[in-house]
Amino acid sequence: MHRTRKESSTKLPIPRKGTKYVARASSNLDNSVTVVLAVRDMLGLAKTAKEVKRMIHQKLLKINGRAVKEYNQSIQLFNILEADKHYELSLLPTRKFVLIPAKNKESRLCKVVDRRLVTGNKIQLNLHDGTNIITKEKIAVGDSVYLDFDNKVKKVVSLEKGKEVLIISGKYMGNKAKIES
């Protein structure tokens, strides 16, 4: 599937003018980048979509430790793309997505947006990128967790005074700040 360049998200770092169509993400259309846009346009590892498809067929591309299956698969915020190196999808203060070299290659950062009590007194955490995990740990909504590629919690970062944060939505999206209260 494709969508017109005019309809695509303004967060995508693509020029305003060019071909009429761009690849449409398989999920989370406005908050993700497709594999073909990331590898071809953002990283410059391929010149055409056909080369990206060949890289996928040879299993050279991975997202969060899993092999990429389709060229329009979504890379969401803070996901790890493994191509020639490990890259993490982040936001610039200009409200555009950017792939930066990943500092932590074994885990990814996720924000807890909701939690529910399920059978067995376990807690289901719903994360910002659509991932759901079941745990017995007491983790509050708004906290962030580092997950390994098997979706196991490695570290919990609580939302408290003095912590540095990246704003992922709203007027100040892409800016970094410190929590005052």
Side-chain angles (χ1 to χ4, degrees), residues 1 28 30 38 52 110 118 129 147 173:
M1 292 277 306
N28 206 354
D30 294 329
V52 175
C110 291
V118 293
D129 62 352
L147 297 177
M173 179 172 46

Side-chain angles (χ1 to χ4, degrees), residues 13-178:
I14 55 175
R16 192 172 66 87
K17 295 199 172 194
T19 58
K20 183 174 181 178
Y21 297 102
V22 292
R24 179 179 178 266
S26 60
S27 64
N28 206 354
L29 298 178
D30 294 329
N31 292 317
S32 62
V33 176
T34 60
V35 171
V36 69
L37 281 175
V39 174
R40 184 188 62 197
D41 300 333
M42 295 170 70
L43 295 176
L45 298 176
K47 290 184 180 178
T48 62
K50 188 174 184 177
E51 290 179 17
V52 175
K53 289 178 186 177
R54 190 175 298 129
M55 292 170 79
I56 292 169
H57 184 69
Q58 294 171 353
K59 299 189 189 304
L60 298 176
L61 303 175
K62 293 181 180 180
I63 298 175
N64 297 333
R66 293 190 180 104
V68 175
K69 293 186 166 96
E70 296 179 4
Y71 74 99
N72 66 335
Q73 193 169 333
S74 300
I75 305 171
Q76 297 182 10
L77 196 60
F78 302 123
N79 282 358
I80 306 291
L81 171 69
E82 186 179 331
D84 59 337
K85 298 182 218 168
H86 289 81
Y87 298 97
E88 180 180 14
L89 187 68
S90 186
L91 274 171
L92 290 174
T94 58
R95 297 176 161 213
K96 299 280 185 191
F97 284 122
V98 64
L99 285 167
I100 57 174
K103 297 174 188 165
N104 193 349
K105 299 174 184 169
E106 300 299 321
S107 61
R108 63 190 170 106
L109 185 66
C110 291
K111 179 184 174 186
V112 179
V113 294
D114 192 22
R115 67 182 203 159
R116 298 161 192 248
L117 189 65
V118 293
T119 57
N121 286 334
K122 294 180 183 175
I123 297 172
Q124 175 182 323
L125 300 176
N126 303 339
L127 307 176
H128 81 280
D129 62 352
T131 307
N132 298 319
I133 58 170
I134 295 178
T135 184
K136 286 194 173 195
E137 296 182 50
K138 301 280 187 207
I139 300 172
V141 173
D143 290 352
S144 296
V145 292
Y146 281 97
L147 297 177
D148 63 4
F149 294 149
D150 296 326
N151 287 342
K152 303 284 186 237
V153 177
K154 305 250 313 174
K155 183 180 171 186
V156 178
V157 181
S158 59
L159 189 66
E160 55 191 28
K161 187 175 179 179
K163 298 279 181 157
E164 196 166 304
V165 295
L166 175 69
I167 302 167
I168 60 174
S169 65
K171 182 178 175 182
Y172 298 103
M173 179 172 46
N175 291 321
K176 292 185 179 180
K178 270 198 175 169

